[in-house]
Amino acid sequence: MSTEHTARTSTRVPVGHSASVPGINESVLFAGCPEVIGTPFSYAREEEVYGEGEEAEFVYKVISGAVRTHKVLSDGRRQITGFHLPGDLFGFEQGACNRHTAEALTNTKVLIFKRRQVERAATGSAEVACQLWGMATNDLRHAQDHMLLLGRRSAAERVATFLMEVDERLGGTGTFALPMTRRDIADFLGLTIETVSRTLSQLEEGGALRRVGGRQVILRRARLRRVVED
Amino acid sequence: MSTEHTARTSTRVPVGHSASVPGINESVLFAGCPEVIGTPFSYAREEEVYGEGEEAEFVYKVISGAVRTHKVLSDGRRQITGFHLPGDLFGFEQGACNRHTAEALTNTKVLIFKRRQVERAATGSAEVACQLWGMATNDLRHAQDHMLLLGRRSAAERVATFLMEVDERLGGTGTFALPMTRRDIADFLGLTIETVSRTLSQLEEGGALRRVGGRQVILRRARLRRVVED
DNA sequence: CGGGTGGTTGATAATTCTCAATTGTTGTGG
DNA sequence: CCACAACAATTGAGAATTATCAACCACCCG
């Protein structure tokens, strides 16, 4: 069961508005929508970006690092609903209130956009609104794929699927360092850390991957694919 | 494990366009968008509305009856991603291709809208696009709640949550007939039919509900809530 | 070096699944 | 209206998977 997540009481909140950074460093959220510009902001490892229940004031784009969003039950059981890597947007899911907590996995740089501004841009431009619709639809697709994984796949299938997905999002080289702990993986896959660990060991035994000290993995993708088999 | 769903090869598809039905029978999808009107259509119990992988040509609004959408693995394991009751829209989730199969639980009447038309309405009206965005966001919220259920809740919690949700969507009286089979419930909750059945028996023993012949249930909502406890 | 965190492994327990048998429900035709 | 078939739901016994509890190891960073 999930236990012992760092307790945090307050969310650090950006103030002021730095100038937009033109040129190669693109800080606009939508092409042709210069009024919605992002403010650079940083979070430290394990720092909370926003908390469940708080007013949803901002939306975010990851520049570097990684963020997780999760839900918790009152007894501490936790389900991570997504990992957000550079280029990803998050914080769009909610209405007036955040329905997740978001935390930085590592030191993370983001661009912050005011929700209000994004909404105003959407009501003013069908094109922007359609992009937002498309993004939500995309998130929905991921969520539904993940439902199938959580509801119907075995531990080995979950872990193998997860590794292939992370690989793809990190460049698809087959060699990478997992940016999250076993607890995060477990809480994403609906397993315990022990089961994740054991499953990784079994996959290694079966020649589907090699581990180098905890986080680093080298995937044998053809064999991993055979584990998932679909 | 999920097995033996009725195999269907072809999806029946509506042809032609009946006149819009004005008056109390509202067939427009969006207020102030008269060009997107729905065509009434019916599906028989267990009939396929659309299949995974097919081109996504229509979107649907349930008038009466009920529809389920699901995903399947090659070995037959199935995850139902949603039940759609009167008033609900479905078929919006996909891009060019359906990523689910949709089937009628019972004899079902729907309104069918051409995807193309809906998309055109969205690109032409920020208001429509925002409504679509909102609908997708809403679906996303449900999906994420369901992830928490599938990843972290016990069988008893899942079944109790499910019963309360169905009750609410069916009017909140606490007394209703489940519109779906145990298999459907199981495939929605990530359990087996036997576990669903046993869990219902335990809930009945514990006084959280009463069953009358298979489908009919009378909930003791306060006690059910105590099972979910959150 | 030492302490802390994160990760692995082992033994055992709990939950859920599987397989099998039985009962209940519904719809149909005689 | 009843008997029967077909399907749906329940229940039981035993197996499998995953969780829990506990010990241990490894690495990092001062």
Side-chain angles (χ1 to χ4, degrees), chain A residues 2-172:
Chain A
S2 315
T3 49
E4 288 307 312
H5 313 113
T6 313
R8 293 193 175 276
T9 41
S10 74
T11 300
R12 200 160 54 95
V13 149
V15 288
H17 248 226
S18 75
S20 80
V21 183
I24 196 78
N25 182 351
E26 188 59 275
S27 66
V28 305
L29 191 51
F30 306 109
C33 201
E35 72 273 23
V36 181
I37 61 150
T39 305
F41 206 73
S42 292
Y43 294 95
R45 175 168 158 57
E46 294 295 306
E47 189 178 357
E48 179 177 297
V49 177
Y50 58 76
E52 189 173 348
E54 293 175 4
E55 191 199 341
E57 209 181 338
F58 302 102
V59 299
Y60 307 82
K61 178 170 184 166
V62 181
I63 300 304
S64 66
V67 170
R68 63 173 178 255
T69 48
H70 73 252
K71 287 174 152 287
V72 252
L73 297 175
S74 49
D75 61 2
R77 285 176 287 176
R78 181 176 75 150
Q79 179 65 44
I80 291 179
T81 50
F83 293 109
H84 308 279
L85 303 182
D88 295 346
L89 296 152
F90 69 95
F92 276 94
E93 313 85 9
Q94 59 271 330
C97 277
N98 295 314
R99 275 189 270 271
H100 296 100
T101 299
E103 294 158 344
L105 289 184
T106 65
N107 293 343
T108 297
K109 289 192 165 70
V110 301
L111 286 177
I112 297 195
F113 301 87
K114 291 217 164 179
R115 236 188 129 53
R116 206 75 56 76
Q117 284 191 356
V118 173
E119 273 158 11
R120 199 138 36 76
T123 56
S125 156
E127 198 191 325
V128 168
C130 280
Q131 274 187 262
L132 289 164
W133 176 30
M135 284 168 35
T137 299
N138 216 42
D139 288 354
L140 185 57
R141 188 166 55 72
H142 282 125
Q144 287 168 336
D145 289 347
H146 206 58
M147 278 193 228
L148 176 60
L149 180 144
L150 292 172
R152 288 302 181 208
R153 307 208 87 137
S154 68
E157 291 172 326
R158 294 183 202 198
V159 172
T161 302
F162 175 73
L163 290 172
M164 292 195 295
E165 198 184 301
V166 173
D167 176 42
E168 202 173 317
R169 292 177 67 185
L170 253 37

Side-chain angles (χ1 to χ4, degrees), chain B residues 28-209:
Chain B
V28 304
L29 191 51
F30 306 109
C33 202
E35 71 275 22
V36 181
I37 63 151
T39 304
F41 206 73
S42 293
Y43 294 94
R45 176 168 156 58
E46 294 295 306
E47 190 178 357
E48 179 177 298
V49 177
Y50 59 75
E52 188 173 349
E54 293 174 6
E55 190 199 340
E57 209 181 338
F58 302 102
V59 300
Y60 306 82
K61 178 170 183 166
V62 180
I63 300 304
S64 67
V67 170
R68 63 172 177 255
T69 47
H70 72 252
K71 287 174 151 288
V72 252
L73 298 176
S74 49
D75 62 3
R77 284 177 289 175
R78 182 176 74 150
Q79 179 65 45
I80 290 178
T81 50
F83 293 109
H84 308 279
L85 302 182
D88 294 345
L89 296 152
F90 68 96
F92 276 93
E93 314 86 9
Q94 59 270 328
C97 276
N98 294 313
R99 276 188 271 271
H100 296 99
T101 300
E103 294 158 343
L105 289 183
T106 65
N107 293 343
T108 298
K109 290 191 165 70
V110 300
L111 286 176
I112 298 196
F113 301 87
K114 291 216 166 181
R115 239 189 125 53
R116 207 76 56 77
Q117 284 191 357
V118 173
E119 273 159 10
R120 199 138 34 78
T123 55
S125 156
E127 198 191 325
V128 169
C130 280
Q131 275 188 262
L132 289 164
W133 175 31
M135 284 168 35
T137 299
N138 217 41
D139 288 353
L140 185 58
R141 189 167 53 73
H142 282 125
Q144 287 167 336
D145 289 346
H146 206 57
M147 277 193 228
L148 176 60
L149 180 143
L150 293 172
R152 289 299 180 210
R153 306 207 87 135
S154 70
E157 291 172 326
R158 294 182 202 199
V159 172
T161 303
F162 175 73
L163 290 171
M164 291 194 294
E165 197 184 302
V166 173
D167 175 43
E168 202 172 316
R169 291 176 66 185
L170 253 37
T173 63
T175 301
F176 59 92
L178 288 161
M180 67 288 283
T181 64
R182 296 291 187 267
R183 164 143 306 289
D184 286 336
I185 297 172
D187 286 349
F188 183 61
L189 298 179
L191 301 169
T192 59
I193 54 176
E194 293 93 334
T195 299
V196 170
S197 190
R198 273 187 256 272
T199 304
L200 284 169
S201 299
Q202 283 161 218
L203 289 172
E204 190 165 27
E205 270 179 50
L209 59 87

